[in-house]
Amino acid sequence: MVQFAIKRLQAIQAGRRPDRYKQMLFADAGNFARGCAFTLVACIATAIQTDMPSVWAIFAALSLVTTVRVSAIYYGARRADDDRESVAIAKRFYEVTGVIHVLLIGVWPMVIFAADQTYVAAELFSFATALCFMTGLVGRNYASRKLVVLQLSAAGVPMSLGLAWQMDAWHLLFAALFVMFCMTLLRIADGMRGMMEETVAVAEQNFHLAHIDGLTGLPNKGQMVRILDTAIHHGEAIALHFVDLDRFKRLNDTYGHAFGDRVLAIAARRMEEVSEDETVVSRFSGDEFVILQHLNGEPRQEATRFANLLITALANPLSIDGISVTSKCSVGTALFPGDARTTAELLQRADLALYKSKSAGRGRHSRFDAEMESVEIERMRIESNLRRALDANELTFVFQPIVNPQYGRISTCEALLRWDDPVHGAISPAVFLPIAEESGLMPAITDYTIDMACAAVATWPPNKRVAVNISPSQLNRDDIVDVILRSAARHSVAPSQLEVEITENIFLDRDPEIFRRLDILHATGIRLSLDDFGTGYSNLEYITRLPLDKVKIDRRFIREALENNRERALLRGILGLVESIGLGVVVEGVERTDQLEFLTAELPSAEIQGFIYGPPLRPEMIRDLLLAGRPPVQSGDVPKFVELR
């Protein structure tokens, strides 16, 4: 059953329209047989009345041809899905025997009209029956104009000759009217055929739209679900692969939707090229494809091998209008019957596996396992609670000072988001922020963070700044500059009191709009710092091009610098390089006295952020500390801020 569905799909994708002519010729054999039987009854009646040998001969011939034709039509209807050669032979046989059949029916009244003796009843009976048969053949064969013309001619010519044989005005007038009647039948057949073709074209277009994706020519989501239902119903061993093009939205936004559509079409062809004949590739939605792979050997090995083929095929660069891009993919796989029992379960679990692939860094393949489902349930729980927490303003902030040890002053405090769930306790930002990104909650969290940071810094001395992290996804927002400036104005905060921290991930996007927004922010007086420098995709070209004020060195470097000579040399080089291009330096994660001494010796101008000066403080505590104007102190390796109560 599934193989039949696949063949049908392949025919649709190849644009092969069903043979409507064949379907009409071999359709409704029962009615055709009844019409032929009525004709034979009429013919034998005229043979009995006239007792003419020629009419008896016509009856015998009609009986033979009728038997052959009815049998052939029943046979053709059963062989409707045979190969083209068999169908062509059946059609040709239908046409030849049809012309012979109609010719005999036309000769029948001609013979009676041409008889030496007048048989009025037989003439009327034979001519009326022939007219009925001619009308019926138009209704049956209108799909083929050639066949209608041949049959009308085969019947009409001898019938006209029979009328003209009488050589009187009335019969000649009747013959002329009969010719006009035949022409009318031909026009009716043409009209019926035109309406049929238009109706069929619309129906086929609707069928195509309902089953095939218009952009790629692949089966669409609905059709793939139907094929999956069939495969699962018959218990076939299959692998379902969810394929997602990595960073496709960036291509779409950068080069336009027409460019993105061509990327999708090329990706679809590449997936088909590495697929076997029985594999069905479908476009599910957007840049997401679903592939059904039939398994014949060891399921896991076969599925993994094919998934790796997909990743390799899409990893090759493609060139469109002189633009060379790479559209890699992530793949998630679930197996039937091992991983699921229904179509819905199989789709959901392949999607979970895809999510794991993307979370692990993209360009990877993951296969579903039971742990994924429990992780997803937990993720959904966190997302639901996070929505509630946002509505209830349960998210809070702490502030971690950034200190210049040379002068013992706090210059900036970084705002750090915290969530203490009433039921499950404190939840790390490393856990809930990625979920916020995926679930569309990040814009609300970003707006809330900016507003709360501005509200806090408004209560500090005017020479202190607050630093806020803004993710690359939020820098893509058209309104992000307005959000920041409106919040600052609402709380009467000078732009110079704000610092926006960005990460190196923005270099991956290479979006000129992001860089333009950063230029606008910097031009207003807002300071910019590059967070976690050295852990991502550091690019000196971008660092020198961006309007940065400072670079924050990731905590990994200071943690390893005192234990590894090469790491120490690397940190010295980074500190010297950043200082040489005129940027301020902040070293994160400083926790021990020996780390602080090393930094103050190597780069006295570097600012320090870390537990060496104590943990992040609540808003009221950091406000009191800053208003008191007292420097933070540290005692050995157990640092603390001066507590003001």
Side-chain angles (χ1 to χ4, degrees), residues 97-122:
T97 56
V99 171
I100 295 173
H101 193 182
V102 175
L103 179 62
L104 288 171
I105 290 175
V107 170
W108 169 33
M110 183 190 75
V111 169
I112 296 175
F113 273 104
D116 294 336
Q117 186 178 346
T118 301
Y119 301 100
V120 176

Side-chain angles (χ1 to χ4, degrees), residues 528-553:
L528 301 177
S529 64
L530 184 63
D531 197 13
D532 299 331
F533 179 75
T535 62
Y537 300 84
S538 304
N539 187 313
L540 293 179
E541 176 190 353
Y542 285 111
I543 292 173
T544 56
R545 203 178 91 189
L546 284 172
L548 295 174
D549 295 287
K550 67 173 66 169
V551 169
K552 299 183 75 173
I553 307 299

Side-chain angles (χ1 to χ4, degrees), residues 208-221 261 265 269 283:
H208 194 277
L209 290 174
H211 294 78
I212 303 300
D213 174 60
L215 175 63
T216 61
L218 298 175
N220 60 17
K221 179 178 180 179
D261 288 347
R269 298 290 80 77
R283 184 187 178 201

Side-chain angles (χ1 to χ4, degrees), residues 94 127 189 270 292 303 402 441 449 453 463 480 555:
Y94 178 96
F127 203 90
R270 288 187 176 182
L292 184 154
I402 299 173
L441 294 175
T449 300
N463 63 336
I480 190 63
R555 65 184 65 245

Side-chain angles (χ1 to χ4, degrees), residues 6 110 144 237 242 281 292 379 394 437 479 510 543 546 603 621 634:
I6 293 173
M110 183 190 75
S144 170
F242 256 82
V281 182
L292 184 154
R379 194 193 74 84
E394 290 179 0
E437 286 276 13
D479 66 340
R510 300 181 182 180
I543 292 173
L546 284 172
L603 190 66
M621 294 180 65
Q634 50 89 209

Side-chain angles (χ1 to χ4, degrees), residues 95 99 102-103 145-156:
E95 293 170 352
V99 171
V102 175
L103 179 62
R145 192 176 199 277
K146 180 186 74 171
L147 188 55
V148 171
V149 170
L150 286 174
Q151 292 189 341
L152 285 177
S153 301

